[in-house]
Amino acid sequence: MNNSLVPPAGPQRVLALAQLTNSVGDGAYYVTSALYFTHVVGLAPARVGLGLTLAWAVGSLVGVPLGRLADRRGARGTAVLLALATGAAVASFLVVRGFVPFVIAACVYASAQSGLAAARQALLAGLVTAGDRTRLLAHLQSTLNAGLAVGAGLGGLALNAGTRAAYLGVFALDAVSFLVCAGLLLRLPSVAPVAVTKSQGLGVLRDRPYVVVTLLNTVLLLRMPLLSLGIPLWITERTDAPAWVVSALFMLNTGAVMVFQVRMARGVSGLASATRAVRRSGWVMLAACAVFALSAGLSPWVAVGVLVVGAVLQVVAEMGQSAGSWQLSFELAPADRVGEYQGFFGTGVTVARTAGPLVLTTLLVGWGTPGWLLLGGVTLVASYAMGPAARKAAAAGPAGAAVRQPASVS
């Protein structure tokens, strides 16, 4: 029976299971890490923020060389080693008790996570035909959300208990989840290293059209902290809606992605359809920003209704932009350097997570309605610029001309 929520049996389903296992651990980690580092490790909140910012800055820099390593040494082996390294880094958090050890462990964690993401993309490219990649990524995104939701629930139990043992249990769970992930990845067929000519200096950075596409995608990803920071602050500071709406909107977003992301990705199968999806998402995101802005100054229950409409539009824009950008990231990457290019494309997520909070708090909390409209306008401009940039990138390089064939089982 064909279930649109479950990928086909074989490598695709194994990749989804690997995603599910470590996303459960990550969900628990995300909701408890701040309190663990402050209450258990004993670090000041400002130091935690500084340490994590430094760590993700390092992670964004090493994603490209680790992706290149996956191309040249084999994507499966590299992904397994990086999953084990991530688990070891999380386990080290159980024993660190000072700022410097914390920063070192956080740098290892962020670097391994960034490299693992790139290696997984290279592994996916080697095991799945080009026409199936975007749909599989949609399955993986749905799986990710499901795992994060379960993990967040487990983390909530730890927060409710509030004990040191409960926090330690969450971190141990996250570490074990990456060990299980490594075991699942090891079950996949191996992908032979691709023979490549020695890269010149900056590698992917020499591919200026791809760099432009990545930068535009980074602008579109600035909406990532909306659910975790921008909308909660907007609701509590600028509207009369009850605070519990924050949780309701988060659940709405998570559930919508789990159910509809695969369907949203079905029509995205090439350069033209990908750029259309991104362009449409820009208009929908502009509409979402305008609706969110309207929620200020309304009665509580009217504001709730307006916020729900805005959240629906936002998640539709998110799913469309995700599907389009996934297709572009693979379509425009040379077949023999997928890991390297995916490592670079993935830095957009890190930059958005780092710069997004400052941008969103300034625009939404500081500027109010004009800030919402500016956010929507910038998103629309970036989404329209993606089409010409992607076409230039496709014309400038060999991406898409040579497609890596699925590897045989070893």
Side-chain angles (χ1 to χ4, degrees), residues 286-304:
L286 175 61
C289 290
V291 171
F292 278 128
L294 291 175
S295 62
L298 301 176
S299 63
W301 288 107
V302 175
V304 169

Side-chain angles (χ1 to χ4, degrees), residues 217 220-221 223 277-278 281 316-326:
N217 189 62
L220 297 176
L221 288 175
R223 48 87 182 158
V278 172
S281 75
V316 171
E318 174 187 332
M319 291 187 289
Q321 186 266 326
S322 295
S325 66
W326 293 332

Side-chain angles (χ1 to χ4, degrees), residues 14-15 18 75-81 83-84 116 120 123 127 178-191 409-410:
V14 174
L15 283 168
R76 185 186 68 172
T78 304
V80 169
L81 290 176
L84 293 174
L116 177 59
R120 273 177 155 168
L123 183 58
L127 296 175
F178 279 97
L179 296 181
V180 177
C181 173
L184 288 168
L185 292 174
L186 198 58
R187 293 174 50 193
L188 290 167
S190 65
V191 175
V409 178
S410 66

Side-chain angles (χ1 to χ4, degrees), residues 153-187:
L154 296 174
L157 295 177
L159 292 175
N160 184 60
T163 64
R164 183 175 182 272
Y167 287 121
L168 292 175
V170 165
F171 275 70
L173 170 67
D174 195 20
V176 170
S177 75
F178 279 97
L179 296 181
V180 177
C181 173
L184 288 168
L185 292 174
L186 198 58
R187 293 174 50 193

Side-chain angles (χ1 to χ4, degrees), residues 130-395:
D132 291 331
R133 290 171 190 168
T134 296
R135 179 172 295 187
L136 176 57
L137 285 166
H139 279 297
L140 295 181
Q141 185 69 14
S142 298
T143 302
L144 172 67
N145 275 35
L148 290 176
V150 173
L154 296 174
L157 295 177
L159 292 175
N160 184 60
T163 64
R164 183 175 182 272
Y167 287 121
L168 292 175
V170 165
F171 275 70
L173 170 67
D174 195 20
V176 170
S177 75
F178 279 97
L179 296 181
V180 177
C181 173
L184 288 168
L185 292 174
L186 198 58
R187 293 174 50 193
L188 290 167
S190 65
V191 175
V194 178
V196 294
T197 57
K198 191 173 182 62
S199 64
Q200 302 178 18
L202 297 176
V204 63
L205 294 178
R206 295 173 61 88
D207 190 342
R208 293 180 182 176
Y210 194 88
V211 170
V212 172
V213 170
T214 301
L215 290 175
L216 290 172
N217 189 62
T218 302
V219 173
L220 297 176
L221 288 175
L222 289 175
R223 48 87 182 158
M224 288 185 67
L226 267 177
L227 279 179
S228 61
L229 181 68
I231 292 175
L233 289 176
W234 172 259
I235 289 174
T236 56
E237 298 291 331
R238 292 278 190 157
T239 79
D240 293 322
W244 57 260
V245 176
V246 172
S247 177
L249 296 184
F250 182 87
M251 293 172 62
L252 185 154
N253 180 279
T254 302
V257 173
M258 287 171 56
V259 176
F260 296 110
Q261 180 67 82
V262 176
R263 300 178 188 180
M264 289 286 292
R266 282 178 181 168
V268 180
S269 58
L271 189 67
S273 58
T275 54
R276 283 197 302 270
V278 172
R279 188 165 59 246
R280 285 195 299 266
S281 75
W283 281 109
V284 179
M285 189 63 192
L286 175 61
C289 290
V291 171
F292 278 128
L294 291 175
S295 62
L298 301 176
S299 63
W301 288 107
V302 175
V304 169
V306 172
L307 288 167
V308 169
V309 173
V312 170
L313 291 171
Q314 187 269 326
V315 73
V316 171
E318 174 187 332
M319 291 187 289
Q321 186 266 326
S322 295
S325 66
W326 293 332
Q327 182 69 32
L328 292 174
S329 70
F330 279 109
E331 186 101 355
L332 301 174
D336 60 352
R337 297 166 68 188
V338 173
E340 178 184 349
Y341 271 61
Q342 289 297 321
F344 180 70
F345 198 79
T347 61
V349 175
T350 305
V351 173
R353 285 176 173 168
T354 304
L358 177 61
V359 172
L360 292 182
T361 52
T362 300
L363 290 179
L364 308 186
V365 180
W367 294 10
T369 297
W372 274 114
L373 297 179
L374 179 58
L375 176 63
V378 169
T379 301
L380 182 63
V381 170
S383 70
Y384 263 79
M386 187 66 86
R391 288 190 291 272
K392 184 175 181 180

